[in-house]
Amino acid sequence: MPATSEADLPDMGRPLLTTVAVIASCVGFVVIGALQALYGPAIPALRDEYGLSPAAAGLSLSAHFIGALLGVLVYHLLRGRLTNRVLLGGSYLLMAVGAAGFAFSPTWGLALTGTFVIGLGFGGIDYGLNQLFAIGFGRRSTAMLNLLNGHFGVGAIAGPALIGWLGAANYPVIFIGVGVLCVLILFTLGGVAAKEPEPAAVEGASAGGARVLPIIAVFIGIYVLHVAIETGVGGWEPTHLEAVGYGAATAATATSAYWAAMTLGRFIAAPLSLRFSAPAILIVCCVGMAGFLLLATVPAFAPYAYFGVGLMIAPIFPTCLPWLNRAVPSVAAAGAYVIAASMIGGVAFPPLLGGVIDTVDVKALPLVLFGLAVACALLSLWLRKNAPDPDGVRRPREAERADAVTTQGT
């Protein structure tokens, strides 16, 4: 991980997160990535244990996301009253308690309560750490956010793998292990600053409600659209590939590769974000999404095209959040708005896309998502013009010289 120079510190003093806290935060994102991905593979065991229909078993993920959305909102409302350590600690404890409740619940109703409690903590960690990383590393915040969110993908891959290795019937053991990790992370929270500094006005940043509100609205639009594409591919890629002639095993493997590409893309984007501005990365990603989705209409290229879509989607969430904070520094709730919007999009869009596919045909999936990607690209072009990133306009050589000078001074 890159060293932090004085120029990168938000208050020209103690960093918001020490090295230990950064590592623990990455572990925390592995944990929440695993938790989100564990429910699906555990469904067969849940159905056997509680005598559930598939729809009833699927409520576990719905309860989790409802809790996560509330967790984001509650964390944001309490930010000004409680310290980061208290809020993050409370969120980790909620996940630990919820995981234990879900693992040992004697009834399905109590198990759903456990997933809701997990979701509350999940939302707090997701929002709290993303916000701290978005403002805590100066010019390197985008790189660090990509690293942080890359670890979410590591967890999302590791969770189902653990279920496959230990067997779905042993899901309680995995949830208890996740809860223990959450408790252990509590001992690292001393490395998190109690409060972040008040946001300072940034030269070139937007001001005034008439200008700020459209910018926030467009960022929300980009978050909703890219999450819609992300969940659309993840949910419907296997069905589309089978419809165009691929076997079930090939379709499943290609879908796993798509999710792996999202993790890989964030780790690749981390060093690239030190060289290229957030607007440039966003535009390339949106245009790239559209191009790969168009390529996916050709059956022979479809599995590889979806892998490319995963690479292009990956950097959008962690790249836009620091840019949003710099573009509207006077709106503290902006990050909460876009993270909440992304969660709503992830829950609401899959059934909407299912309705569209029922009306047309699953073979039209790439074209439907291509339209969303084009809209995302148009919004990114609007943002480049109306919310230029004041931290991304310097040439890489100038940025390196500035980092070298400030590092020598520490």
Side-chain angles (χ1 to χ4, degrees):
M1 295 179 186
T4 303
S5 67
E6 286 186 13
D8 293 323
L9 302 185
D11 58 357
M12 300 299 287
R14 183 183 185 275
L16 290 186
L17 299 106
T18 63
T19 300
V20 170
V22 169
I23 295 171
S25 298
C26 290
V27 174
F29 259 57
V30 172
V31 166
I32 65 173
L35 277 172
Q36 182 173 312
L38 281 172
Y39 297 110
I43 281 179
L46 294 173
R47 292 184 62 194
D48 290 342
E49 183 173 351
Y50 297 106
L52 304 173
S53 67
L59 288 175
S60 57
L61 193 56
S62 297
H64 171 92
F65 273 112
I66 292 170
L69 179 59
L70 288 176
V72 171
L73 300 177
V74 169
Y75 192 108
H76 173 70
L77 290 175
L78 295 178
R79 275 181 70 198
R81 304 176 187 178
L82 301 175
T83 67
N84 292 318
R85 296 168 192 167
V86 170
L87 289 170
L88 290 174
S91 298
Y92 281 120
L93 280 176
L94 283 171
M95 287 199 296
V97 170
F102 184 71
F104 294 125
S105 176
T107 67
W108 179 234
L110 290 175
L112 282 180
T113 302
T115 64
F116 176 78
V117 174
I118 290 172
L120 283 174
F122 176 104
I125 296 301
D126 189 20
Y127 172 62
L129 290 181
N130 269 311
Q131 280 295 109
L132 286 173
F133 273 64
I135 64 176
F137 299 92
R139 291 183 298 274
R140 298 176 180 180
S141 286
T142 301
M144 296 302 289
L145 262 179
N146 273 286
L147 284 175
L148 179 71
N149 283 273
H151 284 85
F152 182 97
V154 171
I157 294 170
L162 276 174
I163 288 278
W165 179 40
L166 296 176
N170 289 314
Y171 77 86
V173 176
I174 300 174
F175 274 86
I176 290 300
V178 166
V180 170
L181 271 177
C182 289
V183 172
L184 292 176
I185 293 173
L186 294 176
F187 294 97
T188 70
L189 293 180
V192 179
K195 293 284 186 180
E196 57 264 38
E198 291 296 322
V202 181
E203 185 180 353
S206 303
R211 187 167 172 80
V212 163
L213 291 180
I215 290 174
I216 295 176
V218 171
F219 271 107
I220 288 175
I222 287 173
Y223 270 68
V224 170
L225 287 172
H226 98 270
V227 169
I229 296 168
E230 173 187 328
T231 57
V233 174
W236 288 95
E237 179 185 354
T239 307
H240 173 250
L241 291 178
E242 289 184 45
V244 297
Y246 290 92
T250 301
T253 300
T255 304
S256 297
Y258 162 75
W259 290 115
M262 291 205 41
T263 301
L264 178 63
R266 284 170 176 164
F267 287 118
I268 292 173
L272 292 179
S273 66
L274 299 174
R275 290 271 175 185
F276 302 99
S277 69
I281 292 173
L282 176 62
I283 291 169
V284 168
C285 287
C286 291
V287 172
M289 278 195 303
F292 280 117
L293 285 167
L294 202 57
L295 187 62
T297 61
V298 181
F301 299 131
Y304 311 102
Y306 283 129
F307 184 86
V309 174
L311 288 176
M312 293 295 105
I313 290 175
I316 294 177
F317 183 102
T319 296
C320 283
L321 195 57
W323 180 13
L324 170 66
N325 284 324
R326 293 190 293 262
V328 289
S330 60
V331 184
Y337 294 154
V338 297
I339 292 176
S342 69
M343 290 182 176
I344 293 172
V347 174
F349 188 79
L352 292 176
L353 181 59
V356 172
I357 289 174
D358 284 342
T359 303
V360 286
D361 185 85
V362 72
K363 292 181 180 179
L365 172 70
L367 285 177
V368 174
L369 297 180
F370 169 76
L372 299 182
V374 169
C376 204
L378 292 174
L379 291 178
S380 68
L381 290 170
W382 186 93
L383 276 180
R384 184 183 65 173
K385 179 180 179 181
N386 293 278
D389 184 8
D391 225 21
V393 296
R394 295 188 305 165
R395 297 193 309 274
R397 289 183 183 276
E398 292 172 337
E400 288 173 358
R401 288 194 205 103
D403 283 343
V405 170
T406 53
T407 302
Q408 288 173 4
T410 59

